[in-house]
Amino acid sequence: MTRSPPPSLEHSGPSVNAIVRRAYAEVQEGRFEATRDALMPYSGQGEHRVDLLLGFAYAGSRQFDLAAPLLVNAALANVGAKHPAHDVVELFARFDMRPDAERAVRAILALTPEDARIHDALGDVLCQMGRFDEAIGILEQGLSLRPYNPLTLNLMAIARAERGETETALGMFQSVLKLTPNNASALSNLACLLSALNRPEEALDLYRSAIAEKPTDAQIRLNHSVALLKAGRFAQGWSEHEWRLKLPNHTSLPREKLLPPIGPDVDIRGKRILITQEEGLGDTLMYLRFIPALARRGAITHLWVPDSLEHVCRRVEGVAIVQVGGDVPPFDWHCPFISLPRALVGTPDAMGDPVPYLRADPAKVAEKSRLLPRNGKLNVGLVWGGSPRPHHTPAHMVDRKRSASLAAMAPLAAVEDVNLISLQKGPYAKEAFDPPEGMRLYDPTDELHDMDDTAALMMGLDVLVSVDTSVVHLAGALGRRVLLMDRFDNCWRWLSGREDSVWYPDLTIIRQDRLGDWAPVVERVVVALRKMVAERRST
């Protein structure tokens, strides 16, 4: 019995370019097994692009022993390029497959243990998973193979910073700059860390140097905008923040139709403005304050939002249409929510409408009030975790720092005359099934199906105690009292060195003194709650 030879890339079927294009698209969509099966007949014919993509497909199918030699060969065929191990880490992170990325990179490392680039990739994915000690150890091995390498030192500094060793991280970034004084990435990384440490002027000086080296680098420009906003330089910050639109996954709508700054010569009367969801729910809740200003200028405001925000958006003053899902509707201008303050900068509405610019449904307020205890005690809403967003690496790493645990909230249970009421949703909510000893936690979250339900329940609370997540913006926009438990390297929205908020007048910021240390924050919340209880008793 004779066996047919495998199809040739040159003489049968689609062209090699067509095969590669299709395989690349399927790998980017996470269709690893289909890509593997389609490429296997064409492997071993000297086409490195095919073998590279097949290596990704094998890794995605958890056939790491087959993936590793293909990826090693691809690296040898293109020595000057980034090692495919880095691509594995980046690709798999998008699908929340970091453990598989680790196994794939370790298989590659076993074949070529002297290649320091693989140590970099492994250190990167370990850092993403919060295994900082291991990441630092692997990167130190890489430095022993390739001393003073700027990329390895950058990754090491990031891992040290994530572990809370900020002074060490600062020194490492500065070492990179001594080796490569015009290294725009190192300048930007050091600036980012200084901004996180609330040293805005030093950060902005470094960003100016980084931009001089790479003026069109969208990520550096976006990082610069965040530092400007955190320093309270809103007008310049909003303008610079538009660089995010040059990065992937922000908007596919035409740039020429982006809403311009609304100056004296821009007439939006009768114009349909499509306002689109872009990032987290908290961003949208914060920027809804700008919708009434557009309506007062005669615009037809069309909001395109997630279903969890649909009903709360319908009661924003000036909203004409709220759309959930579906296709792109007709519009004259479009504007992502985050671009609204840029459009209104220099006008009397530069900070949007005052609080409260959101309103709860009165019928729902009456309905949800029945879920709350009526025992004369202080009703305190509690949220201890945000959204992990594992498919988005920067957001995932931020969540690890901004989120606490229910166990860390245990001292709150000792406050007399307080009802602790969970508003926690998402993965962190499972901790409510096993609360700390002595904590009685009311949990009405099964009855909270969207932000409108949560808004209604909030109207029966005396105060919300929460880490930095979307419910803070919801409560603030409703004019409810908030105690924000904030991480050490805080979000730009809360500025630097302040305990109050320019966005929500009834919000108090209680910030970590050290990265990851929630105990002093919770103790200060305890003091604040006891003061509120005493004030109630005295009235």
Side-chain angles (χ1 to χ4, degrees):
M1 178 174 166
T2 60
R3 181 172 295 174
S4 301
S8 166
L9 284 169
E10 296 182 1
H11 302 296
S12 68
S15 72
V16 61
N17 287 333
I19 291 168
V20 167
R21 281 196 302 271
R22 180 171 179 178
Y24 178 81
E26 289 182 336
V27 162
Q28 294 299 312
E29 294 171 359
R31 298 169 60 192
F32 297 114
E33 293 183 2
T35 307
R36 177 200 62 193
D37 296 343
L39 290 180
M40 283 173 60
Y42 300 102
S43 182
Q45 298 187 33
E47 175 50 65
H48 296 297
R49 293 179 298 168
V50 169
D51 288 343
L52 174 65
L53 289 165
L54 182 57
F56 292 149
Y58 275 136
S61 304
R62 298 183 174 176
Q63 295 173 279
F64 306 111
D65 55 334
L66 297 177
L70 290 173
L71 296 173
V72 167
N73 289 340
L76 293 173
N78 199 358
V79 176
K82 181 172 67 172
H83 197 286
H86 286 282
D87 297 312
V88 168
V89 172
E90 182 179 342
L91 177 65
F92 283 24
R94 296 206 332 252
F95 300 109
D96 191 20
M97 294 171 59
R98 291 179 183 85
D100 287 341
E102 179 193 352
R103 292 178 64 187
V105 175
R106 288 192 184 277
I108 298 168
L109 185 62
L111 297 179
T112 51
E114 301 304 311
D115 192 335
R117 296 174 298 170
I118 308 169
H119 291 78
D120 289 344
L122 182 55
D124 186 10
V125 73
L126 289 171
C127 189
Q128 291 182 29
M129 292 190 290
R131 291 157 59 185
F132 305 124
D133 292 347
E134 293 176 72
I136 290 167
I138 287 291
L139 293 169
E140 285 175 343
Q141 292 176 26
L143 285 172
S144 70
L145 297 168
R146 190 175 52 172
Y148 308 113
N149 179 261
L151 174 59
T152 311
L153 287 169
N154 260 323
L155 290 168
M156 179 77 83
I158 291 168
R160 296 278 189 184
E162 291 291 317
R163 198 165 70 171
E165 301 172 22
T166 53
E167 291 304 318
T168 302
L170 286 172
M172 298 196 77
F173 281 133
Q174 289 161 348
S175 296
V176 174
L177 288 172
K178 288 179 182 177
L179 294 168
T180 54
N182 299 323
N183 185 323
S185 295
L187 287 163
S188 179
N189 285 336
L190 179 55
C192 188
L193 181 55
L194 287 168
S195 180
L197 295 172
N198 292 310
R199 293 162 62 175
E201 296 308 320
E202 295 170 78
L204 291 171
D205 282 344
L206 286 166
Y207 275 126
R208 282 188 280 270
S209 298
I211 291 167
E213 296 297 325
K214 286 191 174 181
T216 60
D217 187 304
Q219 187 62 59
I220 291 175
R221 300 299 292 261
L222 176 58
N223 292 347
H224 178 224
S225 76
V226 172
L228 287 166
L229 293 170
K230 191 171 183 180
R233 302 184 186 183
F234 293 132
Q236 186 183 356
W238 298 132
S239 176
E240 189 80 343
H241 209 57
E242 296 298 275
W243 279 91
R244 76 192 188 283
L245 301 178
K246 293 184 179 291
L247 293 170
N249 305 318
H250 275 278
T251 181
S252 58
L253 298 175
R255 289 296 298 272
E256 64 272 15
K257 288 288 188 179
L258 185 65
L259 182 66
I262 302 175
D265 299 328
V266 176
D267 186 0
I268 60 174
R269 286 176 296 179
K271 301 295 185 183
R272 184 183 297 266
I273 301 177
L274 177 64
I275 302 151
T276 52
Q277 172 79 11
E278 189 176 355
E279 294 185 3
L281 299 180
D283 292 301
T284 299
L285 290 164
M286 176 177 169
Y287 295 116
L288 282 167
R289 69 182 66 232
F290 295 99
I291 301 302
L294 298 179
R296 286 193 293 269
R297 288 165 171 79
I300 302 168
T301 58
H302 185 138
L303 277 55
W304 197 1
V305 297
D307 56 359
S308 60
L309 293 178
E310 177 185 3
H311 298 295
V312 77
C313 285
R314 291 190 184 280
R315 285 190 303 282
V316 174
E317 182 182 342
V319 169
I321 301 165
V322 176
Q323 175 179 337
V324 173
D327 298 323
V328 179
F331 62 88
D332 297 296
W333 301 102
H334 75 90
C335 187
F337 273 98
I338 298 174
S339 291
L340 286 171
R342 185 269 306 155
L344 288 159
V345 74
T347 75
D349 297 298
M351 296 295 286
D353 269 28
V355 168
Y357 57 87
L358 296 185
R359 292 166 182 79
D361 180 341
K364 280 190 177 181
V365 171
E367 173 193 337
K368 302 303 180 188
S369 69
R370 295 194 291 271
L371 301 173
L372 297 173
R374 301 181 184 181
N375 53 17
K377 298 181 180 180
L378 203 70
N379 281 339
V380 178
L382 183 61
V383 178
W384 57 90
S387 173
R389 297 174 68 182
H391 300 87
H392 186 263
T393 296
H396 185 56
M397 295 179 75
V398 165
D399 181 69
R400 193 160 52 226
K401 291 184 285 187
R402 69 167 173 172
S403 292
S405 65
L406 184 56
M409 304 294 114
L412 301 182
V415 182
E416 293 183 1
D417 291 335
V418 159
N419 301 311
L420 295 176
I421 299 153
S422 173
L423 273 66
Q424 182 66 56
K425 304 284 275 188
Y428 294 96
K430 63 184 179 183
E431 297 176 27
F433 296 120
D434 185 24
E437 185 176 353
M439 176 182 283
R440 181 180 182 185
L441 190 67
Y442 295 86
D443 189 355
T445 54
D446 285 347
E447 302 299 322
L448 305 180
H449 305 294
D450 61 10
M451 283 292 184
D452 204 42
D453 290 340
T454 304
L457 185 76
M458 279 181 174
M459 300 308 292
L461 299 178
D462 295 292
V463 64
L464 172 70
V465 174
S466 176
V467 297
D468 185 8
T469 189
S470 58
V471 292
V472 167
H473 295 279
L474 180 63
L478 290 165
R480 310 303 294 165
R481 191 169 181 179
V482 180
L483 298 178
L484 168 62
M485 300 182 292
D486 201 14
R487 70 181 197 266
F488 175 71
D489 53 339
N490 59 288
C491 173
W492 69 264
R493 290 165 183 80
W494 314 123
L495 303 178
S496 296
R498 296 184 65 139
E499 295 184 352
D500 63 340
S501 168
V502 299
W503 306 106
Y504 307 114
D506 297 303
L507 183 145
T508 300
I509 300 167
I510 303 176
R511 184 165 296 137
Q512 290 178 341
D513 298 316
R514 291 190 305 115
L515 185 66
D517 188 1
W518 289 109
V521 173
V522 175
E523 285 303 322
R524 288 166 63 192
V525 172
V526 166
V527 171
L529 292 179
R530 283 177 174 155
K531 182 179 179 182
M532 292 178 65
V533 169
E535 289 171 351
R536 168 173 286 196
R537 287 172 178 165
S538 65
T539 57

